[in-house]
Amino acid sequence: MAEVISVRFKEGGRAYYFDPDGKTVSKGDNVIVETANGNEFGTVAEENREVEDSAIVKPLKKMLRIATERDLKKIEDNKKKEAESFKVCEELVANLGLDMKLVEVEYSFDGSKIVFFFTSDGRVDFRELVKELASHFHTRIEMRQIGVRDEARMLGGVGICGQPYCCKRFLSDFQPVSIKMAKEQGLSLNPTKISGSCGRLMCCLKYEQDAYEYLNSFTPNVGATVETPDGIGTVTDVNLITGNMFVKLNDSDALPFKIHRDDVKLVSRTKRKPKPADNGKNRQN
């Protein structure tokens, strides 16, 4: 077992383990930690605790100190520089006629490196841009192409649910999402209804999928034949969350009625297809 703390460098980003080096911190504390790219500023996501050695990627870097007022002032200065650098880079991109969209600029804590994040539909020859930026800022320049989902996470916004983007708030990793998930969750397959602002299928389809798979495992699907207190019928509509469904009795002209899944017994999951009419074509000679 080893004592660690979890530190996050960006809001909604992944948290990494660090050796607290004998120091005790609380969740939300600002700290300076040692990384492969030099000293960096981060926020404690989880305070001191012990984890299995197998959960640690060694060698474990150390936390150097709790952030001081001087460190916080440096972060504020870096944010101002990032805004200025963004404008400079945008002008250079336009002057060079590059087919790319600048998304965000990030200064390392010590100012030894500036990372420019951008999106593009294809490969971009940014060698001349890097030369111009290095000449202007006199520091190491890194260009990093990202996808549209990363762009949405960086820029943030409000989803169709009325909540801030999940990727901005708590999703640290993007998981594969498929149209099959939307089908199993009974959603409209209209792309505008199931896509996020990034244009990709909504991330929430993935982390809600397990719950829908569980509910689907014991809930009769649309078209299933079920036995109700009033007789045998066919399921015409299902609400997986509430468990309510509408059933039309097979031997009645009455409209479908609402009933809970606990009050029916499954006879057949799929509605039987009618046999083709025997018009002589199906007969064997």
Side-chain angles (χ1 to χ4, degrees):
M1 300 288 284
E3 185 181 11
V4 300
I5 59 172
S6 295
V7 176
R8 183 173 285 122
F9 298 104
K10 288 186 176 183
E11 183 183 357
R14 181 185 298 178
Y16 298 88
Y17 287 148
F18 286 89
D19 179 357
D21 197 27
K23 304 175 183 67
T24 300
V25 297
S26 300
K27 183 177 180 180
D29 285 349
N30 294 317
V31 295
I32 305 299
V33 295
E34 177 188 359
T35 74
N37 296 320
N39 299 343
E40 291 291 348
F41 175 92
T43 302
V44 176
E46 292 181 279
E47 52 202 25
N48 302 61
R49 69 190 189 286
E50 290 192 343
V51 298
E52 297 288 344
D53 291 334
S54 58
I56 300 173
V57 178
K58 296 183 178 181
L60 193 63
K61 299 291 186 180
K62 294 183 178 182
M63 184 192 96
L64 301 177
R65 63 179 183 274
I66 299 289
T68 63
E69 288 297 325
R70 184 176 180 180
D71 294 327
L72 296 175
K73 178 65 167 56
K74 190 172 185 62
I75 291 298
E76 288 301 315
D77 291 341
N78 283 347
K79 289 186 180 299
K80 293 178 182 178
K81 292 178 182 178
E82 288 169 355
E84 295 170 359
S85 301
F86 192 97
K87 294 178 181 178
V88 171
C89 187
E90 270 195 326
E91 291 176 0
L92 289 173
V93 168
N95 293 338
L96 294 171
L98 297 177
D99 184 18
M100 56 188 287
K101 176 187 176 184
L102 188 62
V103 176
E104 189 174 272
V105 179
E106 181 182 285
Y107 267 69
S108 62
F109 176 69
D110 59 6
S112 62
K113 181 177 70 173
I114 311 174
V115 182
F116 294 85
F117 297 91
F118 70 95
T119 60
S120 177
D121 292 333
R123 294 177 62 88
V124 179
D125 184 358
F126 47 70
R127 288 174 294 181
E128 188 62 32
L129 175 62
V130 171
K131 290 179 182 178
E132 294 283 351
L133 291 171
S135 175
H136 188 279
F137 295 108
H138 304 288
T139 190
R140 181 183 168 193
I141 302 297
E142 182 178 328
M143 305 298 299
R144 192 173 299 175
Q145 186 169 357
I146 61 174
V148 290
R149 297 173 87 184
D150 290 297
E151 178 185 11
R153 172 192 285 177
M154 287 182 172
L155 298 179
V158 177
I160 58 174
C161 59
Q163 295 289 325
Y165 295 160
C166 297
C167 56
K168 183 70 173 178
R169 286 186 295 157
F170 59 86
L171 286 183
S172 57
D173 292 305
F174 290 118
Q175 299 293 325
V177 185
S178 68
I179 196 71
K180 179 184 177 184
M181 296 177 183
K183 292 179 180 178
E184 291 183 348
Q185 294 176 30
L187 299 175
S188 166
L189 299 186
N190 184 337
T192 60
K193 300 289 187 181
I194 57 176
S195 298
S197 63
C198 61
R200 300 291 189 267
L201 291 173
M202 293 187 296
C203 294
C204 56
L205 294 177
K206 173 62 179 178
Y207 58 77
E208 291 179 356
Q209 180 63 12
D210 290 345
Y212 278 95
E213 287 180 355
Y214 169 71
L215 293 172
N216 270 318
S217 67
F218 59 85
T219 303
N221 59 310
V222 173
T225 301
V226 294
E227 181 180 339
T228 75
D230 297 320
I232 302 296
T234 301
V235 178
T236 61
D237 193 21
V238 176
N239 186 318
L240 283 174
I241 304 300
T242 64
N244 292 325
M245 61 182 66
F246 281 88
V247 176
K248 186 179 189 313
L249 295 178
N250 294 345
D251 299 326
S252 172
D253 293 330
L255 293 174
F257 63 94
K258 185 167 73 172
I259 189 171
H260 195 271
R261 61 178 162 231
D262 293 342
D263 299 323
V264 303
K265 181 180 179 181
L266 180 65
V267 176
S268 174
R269 265 205 175 272
T270 55
K271 185 178 180 180
R272 293 183 179 179
K273 296 181 180 179
K275 293 182 179 180
D278 186 358
N279 56 8
K281 294 183 179 180
N282 296 322
R283 295 177 184 174
Q284 296 182 356
N285 295 327

